[in-house]
Amino acid sequence: MARIAVFNQKGGVAKTTTVLNLAAAMERTGKHALMIDMDPQAHLTQIHGQHPETAKQSLFGFYQDDKPLYHLEVEWPGIGQLIPSHKELIKVDSIFGKGPAVLNKLKVGLDIADKLYIGRHTLIDCCPYLGVLSLNAIFAADLMIIPISSDYLSLQGAKKVEQTLTAIEPVLKRPIHRRYLLTRFDRRRSMTFEVQKKAKQLFGEQVLDTVISENVAIAESPEKGKDVFSHQPNSAGANDYFALLMALARDGWI
């Protein structure tokens, strides 16, 4: 089963939104996903609405106390399972350093969990900076999705991600598969198409033809603690995320 990490070195590009709605789309087609909130800002956890009472009940407990990942899962009805984040997660870089055991820790933990939950995919919501947490996600992932929110700053963030992944591939001794996803795609703005053209020049066929349109339903749903399918199932946003799922399925990832 696929492990997909969603990462860009810029915030506000729809990383969390993509993890949430891709998991919801999967659930609606009979597939199942574990979502991991690896961002200390804990936006995905906030949308879920049930904050862990202590850091040990979050992903931090996996790093600090070696708690098995499956002990930290909470149910998210209609979407899947979530391993929540906590603000203490920001301490992982300073506490544990960047040795091989730490950088591979998430991969090893998921290898164990996947033996118990056969047939379930994993979606990882990364933090918007390169550190131990993001490297853990990269080392564990089969596929990286890099959202670009149709502006030049997020395109610059994507370029940094590309440079990082290219540098890491010799370390991992395998290719790091990636797809670039245009989000907040506003067809009324000429800059949107300029960014799309530039992205295709930079990343070629790795840029998905599927785009996520600027859409009120996508923006509204997190405030209500919902995915876009639960909030407005017939919206353009729901259609776009379902199209993303189908594109990934055609490529053999899901």
Side-chain angles (χ1 to χ4, degrees):
M1 294 293 102
R3 298 173 188 171
I4 300 174
V6 183
F7 177 49
N8 191 325
Q9 288 181 245
K10 181 186 180 298
V13 298
K15 295 186 301 296
T16 299
T17 303
T18 295
V19 168
L20 172 66
N21 290 311
L22 186 54
M26 290 169 61
E27 188 71 21
R28 280 158 178 75
T29 58
K31 305 177 189 298
H32 306 289
L34 167 67
M35 295 164 286
I36 303 179
D37 189 350
M38 293 198 78
D39 189 347
Q41 297 178 88
H43 291 158
L44 188 60
T45 303
Q46 290 173 25
I47 298 170
H48 179 268
Q50 294 184 14
H51 301 275
E53 294 182 4
T54 67
K56 292 184 177 182
Q57 294 172 299
S58 74
L59 185 62
F60 187 73
F62 169 69
Y63 287 96
Q64 177 71 50
D65 302 316
D66 288 323
K67 285 192 174 182
L69 289 172
Y70 54 85
H71 283 183
L72 301 170
E73 294 180 18
V74 295
E75 288 293 325
W76 199 331
I79 300 178
Q81 287 78 38
L82 169 71
I83 296 178
S85 182
H86 191 278
K87 62 182 180 181
E88 291 292 298
L89 203 59
I90 201 170
K91 297 179 179 179
V92 167
D93 282 57
S94 59
I95 293 175
F96 301 108
K98 294 183 179 180
V102 176
L103 296 180
N104 282 292
K105 188 172 178 64
L106 181 63
K107 180 183 184 304
V108 173
L110 285 172
D111 287 344
I112 295 170
D114 286 351
K115 292 177 182 178
L116 299 175
Y117 297 95
I118 297 171
R120 184 175 68 174
H121 301 282
T122 301
L123 303 175
I124 306 170
D125 184 12
C126 299
C127 49
Y129 58 86
L130 187 65
V132 170
L133 293 171
S134 296
L135 288 169
N136 260 244
I138 293 169
F139 278 43
D142 302 309
L143 174 69
M144 304 292 299
I145 293 180
I146 300 96
I148 302 172
S149 61
S150 303
D151 63 75
Y152 286 108
L153 289 179
S154 65
L155 183 61
Q156 293 302 312
K159 288 171 66 176
K160 291 179 181 178
V161 174
E162 176 69 21
Q163 292 167 358
T164 297
L165 298 181
T166 300
I168 290 174
E169 283 179 325
V171 178
L172 294 180
K173 298 180 180 179
R174 63 172 175 85
I176 300 175
H177 301 284
R178 54 264 210 188
R179 296 292 183 272
Y180 292 84
L181 172 68
L182 275 294
T183 63
R184 305 189 68 177
F185 199 88
D186 189 343
R187 291 171 174 80
R188 298 168 298 180
R189 298 188 304 165
S190 60
M191 185 179 69
T192 296
F193 296 97
E194 292 170 8
V195 170
Q196 184 183 42
K197 180 179 178 181
K198 184 64 175 178
K200 289 185 175 181
Q201 289 173 349
L202 289 167
F203 311 124
E205 294 182 355
Q206 294 174 334
V207 179
L208 289 161
D209 291 330
T210 301
V211 300
I212 307 299
S213 303
E214 186 74 51
N215 183 254
V216 173
I218 292 175
E220 289 177 343
S221 53
E223 182 182 358
K224 301 177 181 297
K226 294 182 177 182
D227 60 89
V228 70
F229 297 93
S230 299
H231 178 50
Q232 289 191 23
N234 297 318
S235 64
N239 292 336
D240 286 349
Y241 272 110
F242 187 77
L244 173 61
L245 173 66
M246 293 297 100
L248 295 174
R250 286 193 299 271
D251 280 354
W253 291 110
I254 295 177

